[in-house]
Amino acid sequence: MASVKIQDVRKSFGGFEVLHGVTVPIEDGEFVVLVGPSGCGKSTLLRMLAGLENITSGTISIGERIVNDVQPKERDIAMVFQNYALYPHMTVAQNMGFSLKLRKENSAEIDKLVNRAADILGLRNLLDRYPRQLSGGQRQRVAMGRAIVRDPQVFLFDEPLSNLDAKLRVAMRTEIKELHQRLKTTTVYVTHDQIEAMTMADKIVVMHDGIVEQMGAPLELYDHPDNKFVAGFIGSPAMNFLEGTLVGGEMPYVETANGSRLPLAASRAGLDGKPVVYGIRPEHLEFADDGVEAEVIVVEPTGSETQIVARIGKQDLIAVIRDRRAVKPGDRVKLRPVARAAHVFDKENGKRLIN
Amino acid sequence: MTAIDIKATPRVSAGLGAWQRLMINRNWIAAWFMLPAAAFLILFLAYPLGLGIWMSFTDIRIGRGGAFVGLENYEWLYEDGVFWLSVFNTLLYTLVASAIKFVLGLYLALLLNRHMPFKAMIRAAVLIPFIVPTVLSAIAFWWIYDSQFSIISWSLRHMGLIKQNINFLGDSDWARASVIIANIWRGVPFVAITLLAGLQTVSPSLYEAATLDGATNWQRFRFITYPLLTPIIAVVMTFSVLFTFTDFQLIWALTRGGPVNATHLMATLSYQRGILSGRLGEGAAIATAMIPFLVAAIMISWFGMQRRKWQQGENND
């Protein structure tokens, strides 16, 4: 186990820079999730950590050692690939034992370690199968087994669940998290799925267009997003954004183009009259007589809650309502944002202004 | 369409005659559709093959029908030193040329699979020996191997390595080596391009996984590339062996089996005896004698290499 330091790392492909100076400190034993939309550079960063891509500038260190020029096999890391990358011509046991065989361990030792990993992952009776004979979830587990067997300093996961169906994905999510709690190996996990990031991470690193937008604990990101991008990316259904102008005073609010007043708990001096974006999460909208008038467009019951798509002026927003209320499309309702949960972002650069 | 057939058949067929039922029976329809292809194969493959085998049991000559003579042709061949020499030549030619074609072809494929500038052009250039007509390349080799004007002899002489021209096609051993080299030159592109196609189906992430597992370049080849390539190697080498074993054009254009039958292959000997000398029955017997070797080559590839357990596992997902 080891800590990992990613210090001002840049990456260019043929003069085109895709990572613009990324700094991520990772504690020993931490589960860090790199999350962002496709093309944000998260996989590239992971591959640089693995040693599969060169580092254009900056440093990556594992433990005390700078690994920029260290061969992948000397880095003492193990990686789980998106497509699992299981060797099709080897059995499960051979797949898991391959790195040990290359390390010239004796076969008794290989068997012992493979069996131990197989026990952890419940693969004991699949050891003689070939990858083709396995289901998606089993292959996923073999890929993890191959990583566990090596007992590396750092685990790397590159979107490991994206080839699984929704139900299995939830199950494997739990399994990976449990595995981490058990082995306590430093883990870097790449995904584009913010739910995975939220549920699994000790620390989330939100990346976008080659920079780190924000990093922190899942709920910290959820409650206090630094900017509009993070606010919109974390959380599902996504945060609602309404454009308007900030009005300060005793009871500050944001006024939209059609005159609706969106309440704020507090404001800051000097922001009066500024064009802003008002952000409110779907669960922070509630029915209230003094709310903003909106027209119901679509009603989507999910059982535990109901999602209502409503229109204020020309802007759509989603409200998640817990109580079962008979609303139907076309109804006019009054929705009130919870003032203390509202976020205000600068319209120009998306930076957080309030909350 | 299929779905309609399945539903309609039991209901409609009750009222139809036997012929009409046959016309809408799915198995019979399949047979009807295969008929044209089968006719072609029977006419142009099975019939000549059968005829050749039959002729090998007769004393037929060109311009004169033959009578059944049983195994007489084969008994003659069994006593014939030239026939056994041609068998030896053919085996030598096939084994040496195929082995070198495999090694060179695999090496070339691995090179071409790397990223390099002008990749497409280089890959296309590799195919040139394959697309030049055999006889044309044989004539070029003929000049290269010429006893007086050989560019190889000329170069070696000017480098001071030899005093006299090498008699490439006039000396038995040199002649065998020369035709084998010409065959290799022609055959390598086929092997290389086919193996290259195979290499490109190997997922790059397997190499990355192996790299992280600690494999060196050689280990990646030994444990990943080669095992994953064996099915396609089996196919391409079977074809290569079959083509080489039955080679005729190159030998005929270069040496006509000479000097002193040193490069006579079974195919060229069969042609010489059967067509040039007119003894069709004997020529057919030589050609027929090739069949067991070819079948053996196919069997080896089929049972030895193609049946891989890891390819056949049933899918559970």
Side-chain angles (χ1 to χ4, degrees):
Chain A
M1 279 187 278
S3 60
V4 175
K5 279 194 195 68
I6 298 168
Q7 190 65 42
D8 196 28
V9 162
R10 289 164 193 276
K11 176 71 186 177
S12 306
F13 288 109
F16 181 73
E17 195 171 86
V18 295
L19 284 177
H20 316 288
V22 171
T23 300
V24 181
I26 298 167
E27 306 278 318
D28 188 1
E30 203 172 20
F31 196 116
V32 171
V33 175
L34 305 179
V35 67
S38 54
C40 71
K42 57 191 189 297
S43 282
T44 306
L45 187 62
L46 191 79
R47 291 169 59 82
M48 287 159 88
L49 187 50
L52 298 170
E53 299 278 357
N54 290 323
I55 298 164
T56 307
S57 77
T59 58
I60 292 180
S61 31
I62 298 174
E64 296 304 306
R65 181 170 65 150
I66 292 177
V67 294
N68 283 32
D69 299 316
V70 176
Q71 288 295 309
K73 65 168 178 166
E74 310 290 345
R75 294 189 183 194
D76 203 8
I77 41 156
M79 183 157 164
V80 176
F81 290 82
Q82 181 174 1
N83 62 359
Y84 319 137
L86 299 179
Y87 311 122
H89 56 295
M90 298 184 195
T91 60
V92 168
Q94 287 167 337
N95 261 288
M96 285 165 56
F98 187 58
S99 61
L100 302 174
K101 185 177 155 193
L102 293 178
R103 238 192 266 163
K104 302 223 169 17
E105 296 276 1
N106 66 53
S107 58
E109 181 70 9
I110 294 179
D111 282 350
K112 204 184 90 190
L113 292 170
V114 166
N115 283 333
R116 207 192 64 188
D119 284 339
I120 294 175
L121 293 164
L123 290 169
R124 199 60 187 264
N125 47 13
L126 300 176
L127 285 175
D128 293 328
R129 300 260 194 112
Y130 287 94
R132 272 190 74 146
Q133 299 165 300
L134 302 177
S135 69
Q138 290 167 335
R139 287 180 208 182
Q140 169 66 54
R141 267 201 284 273
V142 176
M144 293 199 301
R146 194 165 64 177
I148 292 174
V149 159
R150 295 181 48 194
D151 190 22
Q153 304 260 27
V154 184
F155 279 134
L156 307 179
F157 289 86
D158 188 7
E159 310 213 11
L161 304 185
S162 51
N163 287 354
L164 301 178
D165 63 60
K167 204 169 173 183
L168 200 51
R169 204 178 300 166
V170 175
M172 289 307 292
R173 213 158 71 193
T174 316
E175 213 164 298
I176 293 176
K177 193 169 179 179
E178 195 191 330
L179 190 70
H180 176 254
Q181 283 162 4
R182 183 163 169 182
L183 300 175
K184 300 199 166 38
T185 307
T186 313
T187 302
V188 183
Y189 185 107
V190 161
T191 180
H192 59 264
D193 181 352
Q194 56 87 24
I195 295 272
E196 270 174 40
M198 289 295 286
T199 50
M200 298 170 83
D202 294 327
K203 177 159 81 192
I204 297 181
V205 179
V206 181
M207 295 181 66
H208 182 220
D209 284 345
I211 58 161
V212 173
E213 294 278 3
Q214 189 177 0
M215 71 183 113
L219 292 180
E220 186 188 325
L221 262 61
Y222 189 83
D223 292 338
H224 305 288
D226 265 353
N227 52 48
K228 196 179 154 211
F229 176 80
V230 176
F233 192 79
I234 300 287
S236 173
M239 187 185 282
N240 297 298
F241 294 116
L242 297 161
E243 291 186 4
T245 312
L246 196 78
V247 181
E250 279 289 296
M251 297 274 285
Y253 58 90
V254 171
E255 185 161 3
T256 63
N258 71 339
S260 306
R261 292 182 171 192
L262 308 165
L264 289 170
S267 180
R268 283 195 349 240
L271 293 177
D272 241 12
K274 196 172 173 62
V276 294
V277 176
Y278 182 90
I280 187 77
R281 294 205 181 271
E283 67 269 30
H284 294 141
L285 286 167
E286 54 197 15
F287 288 114
D289 292 338
D290 59 346
V292 178
E293 183 147 315
E295 184 194 351
V296 175
I297 307 294
V298 178
V299 178
E300 297 172 335
T302 64
S304 65
E305 60 199 25
T306 304
Q307 294 184 16
I308 295 170
V309 180
R311 189 165 291 166
I312 295 178
K314 288 194 172 77
Q315 307 184 85
D316 280 1
L317 47 75
I318 298 180
V320 172
I321 307 296
R322 288 236 156 225
D323 56 351
R324 296 196 178 179
R325 183 182 293 229
V327 267
K328 50 185 193 304
D331 284 359
R332 306 213 48 100
V333 294
K334 292 205 161 175
L335 289 170
R336 183 181 63 195
V338 177
R340 57 175 172 74
H343 306 263
V344 176
F345 303 99
D346 192 326
K347 193 185 167 189
E348 268 167 49
N349 58 22
K351 291 254 185 285
R352 176 181 62 192
L353 295 173
I354 299 167
N355 194 341
Chain B
M1 210 190 117
T2 330
I4 293 168
D5 275 353
I6 292 166
K7 272 170 77 177
T9 307
R11 201 154 36 89
V12 177
S13 61
L16 294 175
W19 174 248
Q20 276 152 323
R21 271 211 303 276
L22 217 52
M23 292 299 285
I24 56 170
N25 179 302
R26 286 164 60 79
N27 290 334
W28 274 92
I29 289 172
W32 290 128
F33 276 110
M34 282 191 288
L35 209 56
F40 263 102
L41 292 176
I42 291 167
L43 192 60
F44 293 111
L45 284 175
Y47 170 68
L49 182 68
L51 187 63
I53 294 173
W54 163 248
M55 285 193 334
S56 75
F57 296 116
T58 68
D59 61 355
I60 186 171
R61 284 165 170 267
I62 288 177
R64 199 201 70 188
F68 182 79
V69 293
L71 292 173
E72 197 175 299
N73 284 323
Y74 293 99
E75 284 160 17
W76 270 102
L77 288 177
Y78 190 76
E79 307 287 321
D80 183 358
V82 176
F83 169 72
W84 286 113
L85 180 64
S86 80
V87 173
F88 168 76
N89 287 338
T90 311
L91 290 175
L92 180 81
Y93 185 73
T94 307
L95 292 178
V96 175
S98 298
I100 298 178
K101 273 189 277 196
F102 169 63
V103 173
L104 285 182
L106 183 57
Y107 180 68
L108 211 54
L110 291 170
L111 279 186
L112 292 174
N113 198 32
R114 288 168 173 252
H115 289 288
M116 53 182 159
F118 309 112
K119 191 160 69 176
M121 265 168 65
I122 295 171
R123 282 181 187 173
V126 168
L127 275 175
I128 286 176
F130 194 55
I131 55 174
V132 176
T134 312
V135 174
L136 203 63
S137 53
I139 290 171
F141 269 103
W142 196 38
W143 276 104
I144 291 171
Y145 292 145
D146 190 273
S147 56
Q148 278 189 28
F149 305 110
S150 164
I151 189 170
I152 303 173
S153 293
W154 184 87
S155 311
L156 292 174
R157 236 180 33 236
H158 278 73
M159 286 191 281
L161 294 172
I162 53 169
K163 293 272 186 300
Q164 274 185 320
N165 277 5
I166 299 169
N167 192 2
F168 283 109
L169 298 179
D171 174 88
S172 304
D173 293 335
W174 277 114
R176 282 186 183 131
S178 301
V179 291
I180 286 174
I181 288 170
N183 179 280
I184 291 168
W185 180 82
R186 261 196 77 72
V188 161
F190 170 67
V191 178
I193 292 296
T194 315
L195 292 184
L196 177 62
L199 281 178
Q200 287 172 346
T201 64
V202 179
S203 160
S205 63
L206 290 184
Y207 293 119
E208 291 176 348
T211 306
L212 294 179
D213 273 345
T216 59
N217 273 334
W218 165 250
Q219 285 169 327
R220 281 203 293 278
F221 173 77
R222 168 70 189 77
F223 295 116
I224 310 295
T225 314
Y226 183 75
L228 290 179
L229 221 49
T230 43
I232 195 139
I233 287 175
V235 173
V236 72
M237 287 320 292
T238 308
F239 275 100
S240 179
V241 164
L242 296 189
F243 290 151
T244 314
F245 196 89
T246 56
D247 195 11
F248 170 82
Q249 288 188 66
L250 197 65
I251 301 287
W252 199 253
L254 273 177
T255 64
R256 308 210 167 209
V260 224
N261 301 323
T263 60
H264 243 321
L265 303 186
M266 292 170 86
T268 54
L269 189 70
S270 164
Y271 177 75
Q272 195 185 47
R273 299 270 172 92
I275 308 295
L276 297 186
S277 311
R279 297 195 298 275
L280 280 175
E282 194 182 330
I286 297 172
T288 305
M290 294 166 77
I291 294 175
F293 292 101
L294 299 176
V295 171
I298 294 171
M299 296 298 231
I300 289 171
S301 122
W302 186 255
F303 290 107
M305 302 187 82
Q306 265 178 307
R307 300 210 308 180
R308 293 277 161 174
K309 209 172 157 200
W310 54 269
Q311 293 180 301
Q312 299 189 327
E314 68 273 27
N315 258 327
N316 303 339
D317 54 8

